[in-house]
Amino acid sequence: MNKHTKLAFMVAPILAVVGFIAADYYEENEASANKIIQLVPEGHCDIANKNCVLISGEFKINVSDEAGVTEVNSTFPLDSATLFLVDKSDKMTPYPLGMKKSPYYWRSNTPLGNLVANKGDSYKLRLIAKIKGGQYIGEFYTQTVK
């Protein structure tokens, strides 16, 4: 074996480790880049009966309301979440949600339960959930089915 082959065998493992580390840093940087992803309802959204799931790929968010407390839980930990109630004139009222126990569960007091209390009433909602620079945005209607 000549000296060039010996040198190649010594340098190759070092280059492989450095390449693996560089690829990991690149992927982490790409994951934290700002991006906007749309959430769509999975079927009919009935928040009062805890049957409202928004999805985007493997990411799912469940939105529910009980006794004036609107709760959001997700399949991945969130950095923040904000629910917007949108009236008939398209005026939004933001309700920042606070973390409950873990970054998978968020909640806030909202008048949503009173707005959709009657069967057949629908109300427009928007949700923004942030994860590592990515914003998951969904606009949907909730309607009570009893």
Side-chain angles (χ1 to χ4, degrees):
M1 205 183 291
N2 66 23
K3 64 180 180 180
H4 296 295
T5 306
K6 288 180 186 177
L7 181 63
F9 278 121
M10 288 190 299
V11 172
I14 296 168
L15 290 176
V17 170
V18 169
F20 182 75
I21 292 170
D24 187 47
Y25 278 119
Y26 175 76
E27 286 296 321
E28 185 176 333
N29 186 38
E30 287 294 312
S32 64
N34 288 337
K35 57 188 168 227
I36 296 175
I37 300 126
Q38 184 177 7
L39 290 167
V40 292
E42 185 179 63
H44 181 71
C45 259
D46 185 359
I47 290 179
N49 292 321
K50 298 182 182 181
N51 187 19
C52 183
V53 178
L54 306 173
I55 60 170
S56 177
E58 294 179 8
F59 181 60
K60 292 184 179 185
I61 291 184
N62 185 9
V63 183
S64 63
D65 185 86
E66 188 173 351
V69 177
T70 302
E71 186 171 288
V72 170
N73 60 21
S74 64
T75 54
F76 299 121
L78 303 177
D79 294 332
S80 69
T82 306
L83 182 72
F84 296 88
L85 302 181
V86 183
D87 64 12
K88 296 193 187 306
S89 61
D90 229 22
K91 182 178 179 249
M92 296 186 304
T93 306
Y95 289 92
L97 304 173
M99 191 181 347
K100 174 192 168 189
K101 297 181 186 175
S102 76
Y104 295 92
Y105 296 92
W106 296 75
R107 66 188 311 177
S108 180
N109 293 329
T110 66
L112 184 58
N114 296 334
L115 296 171
V116 293
N118 298 327
K119 181 180 178 182
D121 287 353
S122 70
Y123 204 81
K124 185 183 205 181
L125 303 171
R126 291 185 182 131
L127 177 71
I128 298 176
K130 295 182 181 180
I131 302 175
K132 282 190 173 185
Q135 293 185 1
Y136 288 83
I137 298 174
E139 180 176 281
F140 58 99
Y141 287 88
T142 182
Q143 186 171 9
T144 303
V145 178
K146 293 185 179 180

